[in-house]
Amino acid sequence: MQQIETARLYLRQFTPDDLDDLYRIYSDAETMKYLTGVRTREATESAIHAMLQRWEEHNFGMWALVHKIDCKMIGRCGLAFLDKTPEVELGYAFDKVYWNQGLVTEASFASLNYGFNILKLERIVAIARPENIASQRVIQKVGMKYEKNARYYEFDVLYYSIFRETYKSAVSS
């Protein structure tokens, strides 16, 4: 099982035992406001199975984020295929109790490192709804640049990207 450690987080693959914690996050209207909306327990269980399958098929997917101090699963962050494209996108969803602590940025950097250094991806993208300023800030903090307005997952979004060489230059400087 893949696992990454950052200063404050463990990023590990999901297990079926994560259902209660992920459902707590996915059933919160404020947390899911800019994503796909709240999910049922059944939809959350299906999401975990889909995430596990993507790891098996592609050697990447969403990580379960475990807060080191609390030893609690507090969200997900990782890489997935962007809606109906071959592009790989950075995505995340966090328990709102842990917002505004830099944890999303920390997990996003770890996910980009995995994508560029382990998977050897050339480019990673991210999208955010225009009204989701907090997500845009995270995307910009990890070095992604705005490219265009677009439409994915039936929403109008801002589309960002970063190339491996740009990322390596930014991280090493």
Side-chain angles (χ1 to χ4, degrees):
M1 184 186 282
Q2 299 278 357
Q3 184 168 310
I4 295 175
E5 183 175 345
T6 68
R8 298 177 291 169
L9 298 168
Y10 295 110
L11 288 73
R12 62 162 173 76
Q13 288 176 292
F14 275 92
T15 71
D17 292 339
D18 293 318
L19 177 59
D20 290 339
D21 287 327
L22 190 59
Y23 177 63
R24 183 187 74 251
I25 295 162
Y26 278 6
S27 63
D28 182 87
E30 188 177 0
T31 300
M32 299 302 286
K33 179 178 178 180
Y34 299 118
L35 299 171
T36 55
V38 296
R39 294 191 190 172
T40 64
R41 187 172 181 80
E42 294 75 25
T44 303
E45 187 172 24
S46 294
I48 288 175
H49 291 297
M51 287 187 269
L52 292 171
Q53 186 175 352
R54 284 187 206 108
W55 271 103
E56 275 186 36
E57 292 173 6
H58 307 291
N59 197 32
F60 67 86
M62 288 292 147
W63 303 98
L65 304 174
V66 177
H67 194 270
K68 284 183 175 180
I69 293 171
D70 299 349
C71 295
K72 182 177 179 182
M73 201 282 283
I74 62 167
R76 65 156 174 81
C77 181
L79 305 173
F81 286 108
L82 179 63
D83 188 33
K84 301 177 182 119
T85 75
E87 296 183 291
V88 176
E89 80 168 307
L90 171 69
Y92 38 81
F94 261 73
D95 185 331
K96 65 185 177 190
V97 173
Y98 296 89
W99 289 359
N100 299 312
Q101 297 177 31
L103 294 167
V104 178
T105 303
E106 188 173 315
S108 295
F109 272 122
S111 296
L112 291 175
N113 279 330
Y114 183 83
F116 289 129
N117 297 326
I118 304 301
L119 300 174
K120 305 296 184 198
L121 296 173
E122 285 301 317
R123 182 171 178 257
I124 297 174
V125 304
I127 59 170
R129 291 178 50 189
E131 60 275 22
N132 191 347
I133 304 302
S135 189
Q136 292 173 53
R137 284 191 189 123
V138 170
I139 291 168
Q140 293 164 359
K141 280 182 193 173
V142 297
M144 293 186 155
K145 301 294 182 217
Y146 169 81
E147 275 191 29
K148 62 185 177 182
N149 289 355
R151 189 161 178 86
Y152 292 101
Y153 306 105
E154 301 178 21
F155 294 106
D156 292 327
V157 297
L158 304 176
Y159 177 101
Y160 294 80
S161 72
I162 190 167
F163 287 88
R164 182 183 346 167
E165 289 309 313
T166 306
Y167 182 75
K168 284 184 174 182
S169 305
V171 171
S172 63
S173 57

